[in-house]
Amino acid sequence: MEIVNKILEWPAIIQGIIGSFLFWAIFAIGQKVIEFSTKKIKEDKNLGSFWGRSARNTFYNDNFEFSNYSFFICIYGSIHYFLKFVIVVFISQILREFIPIFAYVGYAIAFYFIFRSISYVTHFDVFESEDKKREKEVIPEQKKNKSKKEKS
């Protein structure tokens, strides 16, 4: 509190400069953190999607052993981050009594872990809609390639 009183004694222009700098620093750091976490969540989603698609395809092809393995990898990835979520929330609850700001930061980190956990769990309906979308894109390309071959 003593620091705040000292800053309040400074001229208004200096206070404005410091305030602007702090706003810019928080904004820039926040932007980098969001960029990084979005990238990681997208990578996890793609990885979980790969293993989920592999599990679905191998299950439909009656290769149950590899299908189980793929399902296990999806579940393991999800549980791994879910346990981190639980641990961070637990520690944040303990710290809430002593240093509330650490608890709030811990809750924000816990949200990051829960979203990473969710990214490993994909539903088969997503794959079916992606397959239909891919088919619509492939058919026009095949027609273009066919017409190019006919012209040659």
Side-chain angles (χ1 to χ4, degrees):
M1 203 59 173
E2 201 173 303
I3 294 174
V4 173
N5 290 332
K6 289 282 188 186
I7 292 174
L8 290 175
E9 293 174 3
W10 294 353
I13 189 78
I14 302 297
Q15 291 178 21
I17 292 170
I18 291 173
S20 296
F21 173 75
L22 286 175
F23 176 78
W24 172 82
I26 290 170
F27 180 76
I29 291 170
Q31 189 176 19
K32 293 294 182 189
V33 166
I34 289 172
E35 218 173 81
F36 174 77
S37 55
T38 303
K39 179 183 170 191
K40 293 300 271 182
I41 289 172
K42 189 173 183 179
E43 288 173 359
D44 285 346
K45 182 181 179 292
N46 291 338
L47 185 62
S49 196
F50 169 78
W51 286 108
R53 183 182 305 276
S54 173
R56 180 196 67 161
N57 293 342
T58 54
F59 180 80
Y60 288 156
N61 293 331
D62 295 330
N63 187 355
F64 301 119
E65 186 176 326
F66 190 73
S67 178
N68 289 340
Y69 176 74
S70 299
F71 278 128
F72 177 73
I73 289 175
C74 289
I75 292 169
Y76 173 78
S78 181
I79 289 174
H80 169 80
Y81 286 113
F82 184 76
L83 288 176
K84 285 184 177 183
F85 162 78
V86 170
I87 291 169
V88 170
V89 168
F90 178 74
I91 292 172
S92 296
Q93 281 291 94
I94 292 172
L95 291 177
R96 187 178 63 157
E97 298 294 323
F98 306 111
I99 309 170
I101 191 71
F102 284 169
Y104 300 138
V105 171
Y107 296 141
I109 293 170
F111 274 115
Y112 170 74
F113 284 131
I114 197 69
F115 283 120
R116 282 192 79 177
S117 173
I118 291 169
S119 69
Y120 272 94
V121 182
T122 54
H123 197 274
F124 286 173
D125 291 343
V126 174
F127 302 137
E128 291 172 10
S129 64
E130 286 177 1
D131 290 343
K132 289 177 186 176
K133 187 178 177 182
R134 208 173 282 138
E135 284 176 10
K136 288 180 182 178
E137 292 173 357
V138 169
I139 291 172
E141 284 182 26
Q142 289 175 347
K143 288 180 181 177
K144 287 179 187 177
N145 291 339
K146 197 175 194 181
S147 66
K148 285 180 183 178
K149 287 179 182 178
E150 289 174 357
K151 290 180 182 178
S152 306

Short mmCIF file of all heavy atoms in Angstrom, two decimals, residues 105-149:
data_model
loop_
_atom_site.label_atom_id
_atom_site.label_comp_id
_atom_site.label_asym_id
_atom_site.label_seq_id
_atom_site.Cartn_x
_atom_site.Cartn_y
_atom_site.Cartn_z
N VAL A 105 -5.07 -17.22 -10.24
CA VAL A 105 -4.16 -17.66 -11.30
C VAL A 105 -4.24 -19.17 -11.46
O VAL A 105 -4.26 -19.70 -12.57
CB VAL A 105 -2.71 -17.20 -11.01
CG1 VAL A 105 -1.73 -17.83 -11.97
CG2 VAL A 105 -2.61 -15.68 -11.05
N GLY A 106 -4.32 -19.88 -10.34
CA GLY A 106 -4.44 -21.34 -10.38
C GLY A 106 -5.72 -21.78 -11.08
O GLY A 106 -5.72 -22.74 -11.84
N TYR A 107 -6.82 -21.06 -10.84
CA TYR A 107 -8.07 -21.41 -11.51
C TYR A 107 -7.97 -21.19 -13.02
O TYR A 107 -8.50 -21.98 -13.81
CB TYR A 107 -9.24 -20.61 -10.94
CG TYR A 107 -9.54 -20.91 -9.49
CD1 TYR A 107 -9.91 -19.90 -8.62
CD2 TYR A 107 -9.45 -22.20 -8.99
CE1 TYR A 107 -10.19 -20.16 -7.28
CE2 TYR A 107 -9.72 -22.47 -7.66
CZ TYR A 107 -10.09 -21.45 -6.81
OH TYR A 107 -10.36 -21.72 -5.50
N ALA A 108 -7.27 -20.14 -13.42
CA ALA A 108 -7.08 -19.89 -14.85
C ALA A 108 -6.25 -21.01 -15.48
O ALA A 108 -6.56 -21.50 -16.58
CB ALA A 108 -6.42 -18.54 -15.08
N ILE A 109 -5.21 -21.44 -14.79
CA ILE A 109 -4.39 -22.55 -15.27
C ILE A 109 -5.21 -23.84 -15.31
O ILE A 109 -5.07 -24.64 -16.24
CB ILE A 109 -3.13 -22.71 -14.40
CG1 ILE A 109 -2.22 -21.49 -14.58
CG2 ILE A 109 -2.38 -23.98 -14.73
CD1 ILE A 109 -1.08 -21.42 -13.59
N ALA A 110 -6.10 -24.02 -14.35
CA ALA A 110 -6.96 -25.21 -14.32
C ALA A 110 -7.87 -25.23 -15.54
O ALA A 110 -8.09 -26.30 -16.12
CB ALA A 110 -7.78 -25.23 -13.03
N PHE A 111 -8.39 -24.08 -15.94
CA PHE A 111 -9.21 -24.03 -17.16
C PHE A 111 -8.40 -24.49 -18.36
O PHE A 111 -8.91 -25.20 -19.23
CB PHE A 111 -9.76 -22.62 -17.41
CG PHE A 111 -11.04 -22.35 -16.70
CD1 PHE A 111 -11.10 -21.39 -15.71
CD2 PHE A 111 -12.18 -23.05 -17.02
CE1 PHE A 111 -12.28 -21.14 -15.05
CE2 PHE A 111 -13.38 -22.81 -16.38
CZ PHE A 111 -13.43 -21.85 -15.38
N TYR A 112 -7.15 -24.08 -18.41
CA TYR A 112 -6.28 -24.50 -19.51
C TYR A 112 -6.17 -26.02 -19.55
O TYR A 112 -6.31 -26.65 -20.59
CB TYR A 112 -4.90 -23.85 -19.34
CG TYR A 112 -3.83 -24.37 -20.25
CD1 TYR A 112 -3.83 -24.03 -21.59
CD2 TYR A 112 -2.83 -25.19 -19.78
CE1 TYR A 112 -2.85 -24.51 -22.44
CE2 TYR A 112 -1.84 -25.67 -20.60
CZ TYR A 112 -1.86 -25.32 -21.94
OH TYR A 112 -0.88 -25.80 -22.78
N PHE A 113 -5.96 -26.64 -18.38
CA PHE A 113 -5.81 -28.09 -18.33
C PHE A 113 -7.11 -28.82 -18.66
O PHE A 113 -7.10 -29.87 -19.30
CB PHE A 113 -5.28 -28.55 -16.98
CG PHE A 113 -3.82 -28.30 -16.79
CD1 PHE A 113 -3.34 -27.68 -15.64
CD2 PHE A 113 -2.90 -28.68 -17.75
CE1 PHE A 113 -1.99 -27.44 -15.47
CE2 PHE A 113 -1.54 -28.46 -17.58
CZ PHE A 113 -1.10 -27.83 -16.44
N ILE A 114 -8.25 -28.28 -18.24
CA ILE A 114 -9.50 -28.96 -18.54
C ILE A 114 -9.80 -28.89 -20.03
O ILE A 114 -10.30 -29.85 -20.62
CB ILE A 114 -10.68 -28.44 -17.68
CG1 ILE A 114 -11.87 -29.42 -17.71
CG2 ILE A 114 -11.16 -27.10 -18.14
CD1 ILE A 114 -11.64 -30.68 -17.02
N PHE A 115 -9.46 -27.78 -20.68
CA PHE A 115 -9.67 -27.70 -22.12
C PHE A 115 -8.73 -28.62 -22.88
O PHE A 115 -9.10 -29.21 -23.89
CB PHE A 115 -9.55 -26.26 -22.62
CG PHE A 115 -10.76 -25.43 -22.32
CD1 PHE A 115 -10.66 -24.29 -21.55
CD2 PHE A 115 -12.00 -25.79 -22.80
CE1 PHE A 115 -11.77 -23.53 -21.26
CE2 PHE A 115 -13.13 -25.04 -22.54
CZ PHE A 115 -13.01 -23.90 -21.76
N ARG A 116 -7.51 -28.77 -22.39
CA ARG A 116 -6.59 -29.73 -23.02
C ARG A 116 -7.11 -31.15 -22.83
O ARG A 116 -6.98 -31.99 -23.71
CB ARG A 116 -5.19 -29.60 -22.46
CG ARG A 116 -4.48 -28.39 -23.06
CD ARG A 116 -3.04 -28.35 -22.76
NE ARG A 116 -2.29 -29.26 -23.64
CZ ARG A 116 -0.98 -29.35 -23.60
NH1 ARG A 116 -0.28 -28.60 -22.78
NH2 ARG A 116 -0.35 -30.20 -24.39
N SER A 117 -7.70 -31.42 -21.68
CA SER A 117 -8.27 -32.73 -21.42
C SER A 117 -9.44 -33.01 -22.36
O SER A 117 -9.54 -34.09 -22.94
CB SER A 117 -8.74 -32.81 -19.97
OG SER A 117 -9.43 -33.99 -19.73
N ILE A 118 -10.29 -32.04 -22.54
CA ILE A 118 -11.45 -32.21 -23.41
C ILE A 118 -11.02 -32.39 -24.86
O ILE A 118 -11.68 -33.10 -25.63
CB ILE A 118 -12.41 -31.00 -23.26
CG1 ILE A 118 -13.05 -31.02 -21.87
CG2 ILE A 118 -13.47 -30.99 -24.33
CD1 ILE A 118 -13.79 -29.76 -21.53
N SER A 119 -9.91 -31.79 -25.24
CA SER A 119 -9.49 -31.88 -26.64
C SER A 119 -9.10 -33.29 -27.06
O SER A 119 -9.10 -33.60 -28.24
CB SER A 119 -8.32 -30.92 -26.89
OG SER A 119 -7.16 -31.36 -26.22
N TYR A 120 -8.80 -34.16 -26.12
CA TYR A 120 -8.46 -35.54 -26.46
C TYR A 120 -9.69 -36.42 -26.67
O TYR A 120 -9.58 -37.52 -27.18
CB TYR A 120 -7.59 -36.18 -25.37
CG TYR A 120 -6.13 -35.94 -25.56
CD1 TYR A 120 -5.50 -34.87 -24.95
CD2 TYR A 120 -5.38 -36.77 -26.37
CE1 TYR A 120 -4.15 -34.64 -25.14
CE2 TYR A 120 -4.04 -36.55 -26.55
CZ TYR A 120 -3.43 -35.49 -25.93
OH TYR A 120 -2.10 -35.26 -26.12
N VAL A 121 -10.85 -35.94 -26.25
CA VAL A 121 -12.06 -36.74 -26.33
C VAL A 121 -12.87 -36.25 -27.52
O VAL A 121 -13.40 -35.15 -27.50
CB VAL A 121 -12.89 -36.63 -25.04
CG1 VAL A 121 -14.11 -37.51 -25.11
CG2 VAL A 121 -12.05 -36.98 -23.84
N THR A 122 -12.94 -37.07 -28.55
CA THR A 122 -13.70 -36.71 -29.74
C THR A 122 -14.86 -37.69 -29.91
O THR A 122 -14.78 -38.83 -29.50
CB THR A 122 -12.82 -36.73 -30.98
OG1 THR A 122 -12.20 -38.01 -31.07
CG2 THR A 122 -11.76 -35.66 -30.93
N HIS A 123 -15.90 -37.21 -30.53
CA HIS A 123 -17.07 -38.05 -30.78
C HIS A 123 -17.07 -38.50 -32.23
O HIS A 123 -16.62 -37.77 -33.11
CB HIS A 123 -18.35 -37.26 -30.48
CG HIS A 123 -19.54 -38.13 -30.31
ND1 HIS A 123 -20.29 -38.53 -31.37
CD2 HIS A 123 -20.10 -38.68 -29.21
CE1 HIS A 123 -21.28 -39.29 -30.94
NE2 HIS A 123 -21.18 -39.39 -29.62
N PHE A 124 -17.55 -39.70 -32.49
CA PHE A 124 -17.52 -40.25 -33.84
C PHE A 124 -18.34 -39.43 -34.83
O PHE A 124 -18.07 -39.45 -36.02
CB PHE A 124 -18.01 -41.69 -33.83
CG PHE A 124 -17.02 -42.66 -33.25
CD1 PHE A 124 -17.37 -43.97 -33.04
CD2 PHE A 124 -15.73 -42.28 -32.93
CE1 PHE A 124 -16.47 -44.88 -32.51
CE2 PHE A 124 -14.82 -43.16 -32.40
CZ PHE A 124 -15.19 -44.47 -32.20
N ASP A 125 -19.36 -38.72 -34.36
CA ASP A 125 -20.16 -37.89 -35.26
C ASP A 125 -19.31 -36.84 -35.95
O ASP A 125 -19.56 -36.47 -37.09
CB ASP A 125 -21.31 -37.21 -34.51
CG ASP A 125 -22.36 -38.20 -34.06
OD1 ASP A 125 -22.38 -39.33 -34.58
OD2 ASP A 125 -23.17 -37.83 -33.18
N VAL A 126 -18.29 -36.34 -35.25
CA VAL A 126 -17.40 -35.34 -35.84
C VAL A 126 -16.68 -35.93 -37.04
O VAL A 126 -16.54 -35.27 -38.08
CB VAL A 126 -16.38 -34.86 -34.78
CG1 VAL A 126 -15.34 -33.94 -35.39
CG2 VAL A 126 -17.09 -34.18 -33.63
N PHE A 127 -16.23 -37.17 -36.93
CA PHE A 127 -15.52 -37.80 -38.02
C PHE A 127 -16.42 -38.02 -39.23
O PHE A 127 -16.00 -37.85 -40.37
CB PHE A 127 -14.92 -39.13 -37.58
CG PHE A 127 -13.98 -39.02 -36.42
CD1 PHE A 127 -14.04 -39.93 -35.39
CD2 PHE A 127 -13.05 -38.00 -36.35
CE1 PHE A 127 -13.18 -39.83 -34.32
CE2 PHE A 127 -12.19 -37.90 -35.29
CZ PHE A 127 -12.26 -38.81 -34.26
N GLU A 128 -17.66 -38.40 -38.96
CA GLU A 128 -18.59 -38.64 -40.07
C GLU A 128 -18.87 -37.35 -40.84
O GLU A 128 -18.89 -37.34 -42.07
CB GLU A 128 -19.88 -39.26 -39.55
CG GLU A 128 -19.68 -40.68 -39.05
CD GLU A 128 -20.90 -41.24 -38.34
OE1 GLU A 128 -21.97 -40.61 -38.40
OE2 GLU A 128 -20.77 -42.31 -37.73
N SER A 129 -19.05 -36.24 -40.11
CA SER A 129 -19.29 -34.97 -40.81
C SER A 129 -18.04 -34.51 -41.56
O SER A 129 -18.13 -33.96 -42.65
CB SER A 129 -19.76 -33.89 -39.83
OG SER A 129 -18.76 -33.61 -38.88
N GLU A 130 -16.86 -34.77 -40.99
CA GLU A 130 -15.62 -34.42 -41.68
C GLU A 130 -15.44 -35.27 -42.93
O GLU A 130 -14.97 -34.78 -43.96
CB GLU A 130 -14.41 -34.60 -40.75
CG GLU A 130 -14.27 -33.55 -39.69
CD GLU A 130 -13.11 -33.81 -38.75
OE1 GLU A 130 -12.39 -34.82 -38.93
OE2 GLU A 130 -12.92 -33.01 -37.83
N ASP A 131 -15.79 -36.55 -42.84
CA ASP A 131 -15.68 -37.43 -44.00
C ASP A 131 -16.61 -36.98 -45.13
O ASP A 131 -16.21 -36.97 -46.30
CB ASP A 131 -16.00 -38.88 -43.62
CG ASP A 131 -14.92 -39.50 -42.73
OD1 ASP A 131 -13.80 -38.94 -42.68
OD2 ASP A 131 -15.21 -40.53 -42.08
N LYS A 132 -17.83 -36.60 -44.78
CA LYS A 132 -18.77 -36.10 -45.79
C LYS A 132 -18.25 -34.82 -46.43
O LYS A 132 -18.34 -34.64 -47.65
CB LYS A 132 -20.14 -35.85 -45.17
CG LYS A 132 -20.88 -37.11 -44.82
CD LYS A 132 -22.20 -36.80 -44.15
CE LYS A 132 -22.88 -38.07 -43.67
NZ LYS A 132 -24.13 -37.77 -42.94
N LYS A 133 -17.69 -33.94 -45.62
CA LYS A 133 -17.13 -32.68 -46.13
C LYS A 133 -15.95 -32.96 -47.06
O LYS A 133 -15.82 -32.35 -48.12
CB LYS A 133 -16.68 -31.81 -44.95
CG LYS A 133 -16.25 -30.44 -45.31
CD LYS A 133 -15.89 -29.66 -44.05
CE LYS A 133 -15.38 -28.29 -44.36
NZ LYS A 133 -14.99 -27.56 -43.15
N ARG A 134 -15.11 -33.91 -46.68
CA ARG A 134 -13.96 -34.27 -47.49
C ARG A 134 -14.39 -34.89 -48.82
O ARG A 134 -13.78 -34.65 -49.86
CB ARG A 134 -13.06 -35.23 -46.72
CG ARG A 134 -11.61 -35.13 -47.13
CD ARG A 134 -10.70 -35.96 -46.26
NE ARG A 134 -10.46 -35.30 -44.99
CZ ARG A 134 -10.45 -35.93 -43.81
NH1 ARG A 134 -10.67 -37.20 -43.74
NH2 ARG A 134 -10.21 -35.27 -42.71
N GLU A 135 -15.44 -35.70 -48.78
CA GLU A 135 -15.96 -36.31 -50.01
C GLU A 135 -16.45 -35.24 -50.98
O GLU A 135 -16.23 -35.33 -52.18
CB GLU A 135 -17.10 -37.28 -49.69
CG GLU A 135 -16.65 -38.59 -49.11
CD GLU A 135 -17.81 -39.48 -48.72
OE1 GLU A 135 -18.97 -39.16 -49.07
OE2 GLU A 135 -17.58 -40.49 -48.05
N LYS A 136 -17.11 -34.22 -50.45
CA LYS A 136 -17.61 -33.14 -51.30
C LYS A 136 -16.46 -32.38 -51.95
O LYS A 136 -16.59 -31.89 -53.06
CB LYS A 136 -18.48 -32.18 -50.50
CG LYS A 136 -19.81 -32.75 -50.11
CD LYS A 136 -20.62 -31.75 -49.31
CE LYS A 136 -21.95 -32.34 -48.89
NZ LYS A 136 -22.73 -31.40 -48.06
N GLU A 137 -15.35 -32.27 -51.25
CA GLU A 137 -14.18 -31.58 -51.79
C GLU A 137 -13.44 -32.45 -52.80
O GLU A 137 -12.89 -31.96 -53.78
CB GLU A 137 -13.23 -31.17 -50.67
CG GLU A 137 -13.78 -30.10 -49.76
CD GLU A 137 -12.91 -29.83 -48.55
OE1 GLU A 137 -11.88 -30.53 -48.38
OE2 GLU A 137 -13.26 -28.95 -47.76
N VAL A 138 -13.40 -33.76 -52.58
CA VAL A 138 -12.65 -34.67 -53.44
C VAL A 138 -13.35 -34.89 -54.77
O VAL A 138 -12.70 -34.94 -55.81
CB VAL A 138 -12.41 -36.02 -52.70
CG1 VAL A 138 -11.87 -37.06 -53.65
CG2 VAL A 138 -11.45 -35.81 -51.55
N ILE A 139 -14.66 -34.99 -54.77
CA ILE A 139 -15.41 -35.26 -56.00
C ILE A 139 -15.17 -34.19 -57.07
O ILE A 139 -14.87 -34.52 -58.21
CB ILE A 139 -16.91 -35.48 -55.71
CG1 ILE A 139 -17.08 -36.79 -54.95
CG2 ILE A 139 -17.73 -35.48 -56.98
CD1 ILE A 139 -18.47 -37.04 -54.43
N PRO A 140 -15.28 -32.88 -56.74
CA PRO A 140 -14.97 -31.88 -57.78
C PRO A 140 -13.52 -31.96 -58.27
O PRO A 140 -13.25 -31.75 -59.45
CB PRO A 140 -15.24 -30.55 -57.10
CG PRO A 140 -16.19 -30.85 -56.01
CD PRO A 140 -15.86 -32.24 -55.56
N GLU A 141 -12.58 -32.28 -57.40
CA GLU A 141 -11.18 -32.41 -57.82
C GLU A 141 -11.02 -33.59 -58.78
O GLU A 141 -10.28 -33.50 -59.76
CB GLU A 141 -10.28 -32.62 -56.60
CG GLU A 141 -10.03 -31.38 -55.79
CD GLU A 141 -9.09 -31.65 -54.63
OE1 GLU A 141 -8.28 -32.59 -54.71
OE2 GLU A 141 -9.16 -30.89 -53.65
N GLN A 142 -11.71 -34.69 -58.51
CA GLN A 142 -11.63 -35.84 -59.40
C GLN A 142 -12.20 -35.50 -60.77
O GLN A 142 -11.67 -35.92 -61.79
CB GLN A 142 -12.38 -37.03 -58.80
CG GLN A 142 -11.68 -37.64 -57.61
CD GLN A 142 -12.49 -38.74 -56.95
OE1 GLN A 142 -13.67 -38.91 -57.23
NE2 GLN A 142 -11.85 -39.48 -56.07
N LYS A 143 -13.29 -34.72 -60.80
CA LYS A 143 -13.88 -34.31 -62.07
C LYS A 143 -12.92 -33.42 -62.86
O LYS A 143 -12.79 -33.54 -64.06
CB LYS A 143 -15.21 -33.59 -61.85
CG LYS A 143 -16.33 -34.50 -61.41
CD LYS A 143 -17.61 -33.73 -61.22
CE LYS A 143 -18.74 -34.65 -60.76
NZ LYS A 143 -19.98 -33.90 -60.51
N LYS A 144 -12.24 -32.51 -62.14
CA LYS A 144 -11.26 -31.63 -62.79
C LYS A 144 -10.12 -32.45 -63.37
O LYS A 144 -9.68 -32.23 -64.50
CB LYS A 144 -10.71 -30.60 -61.79
CG LYS A 144 -11.67 -29.52 -61.43
CD LYS A 144 -11.04 -28.58 -60.42
CE LYS A 144 -12.01 -27.58 -59.89
NZ LYS A 144 -11.44 -26.71 -58.87
N ASN A 145 -9.60 -33.38 -62.59
CA ASN A 145 -8.50 -34.22 -63.06
C ASN A 145 -8.92 -35.08 -64.25
O ASN A 145 -8.15 -35.29 -65.18
CB ASN A 145 -7.99 -35.11 -61.92
CG ASN A 145 -7.28 -34.32 -60.83
OD1 ASN A 145 -6.84 -33.19 -61.09
ND2 ASN A 145 -7.21 -34.87 -59.66
N LYS A 146 -10.14 -35.58 -64.21
CA LYS A 146 -10.66 -36.41 -65.28
C LYS A 146 -10.78 -35.59 -66.58
O LYS A 146 -10.41 -36.05 -67.65
CB LYS A 146 -12.01 -36.99 -64.89
CG LYS A 146 -12.46 -38.14 -65.69
CD LYS A 146 -13.76 -38.69 -65.11
CE LYS A 146 -14.07 -40.04 -65.67
NZ LYS A 146 -15.32 -40.58 -65.15
N SER A 147 -11.29 -34.36 -66.44
CA SER A 147 -11.44 -33.51 -67.63
C SER A 147 -10.06 -33.10 -68.20
O SER A 147 -9.90 -32.97 -69.41
CB SER A 147 -12.30 -32.29 -67.32
OG SER A 147 -11.64 -31.46 -66.40
N LYS A 148 -9.08 -32.91 -67.35
CA LYS A 148 -7.73 -32.58 -67.81
C LYS A 148 -7.12 -33.75 -68.57
O LYS A 148 -6.45 -33.57 -69.58
CB LYS A 148 -6.83 -32.21 -66.62
CG LYS A 148 -7.10 -30.86 -66.05
CD LYS A 148 -6.17 -30.56 -64.89
CE LYS A 148 -6.48 -29.22 -64.24
NZ LYS A 148 -5.60 -28.95 -63.09
N LYS A 149 -7.35 -34.97 -68.10
CA LYS A 149 -6.82 -36.16 -68.76
C LYS A 149 -7.50 -36.37 -70.11
O LYS A 149 -6.86 -36.78 -71.06
CB LYS A 149 -7.01 -37.40 -67.88
CG LYS A 149 -6.10 -37.43 -66.70
CD LYS A 149 -6.35 -38.68 -65.86
CE LYS A 149 -5.45 -38.68 -64.63
NZ LYS A 149 -5.70 -39.85 -63.78
#
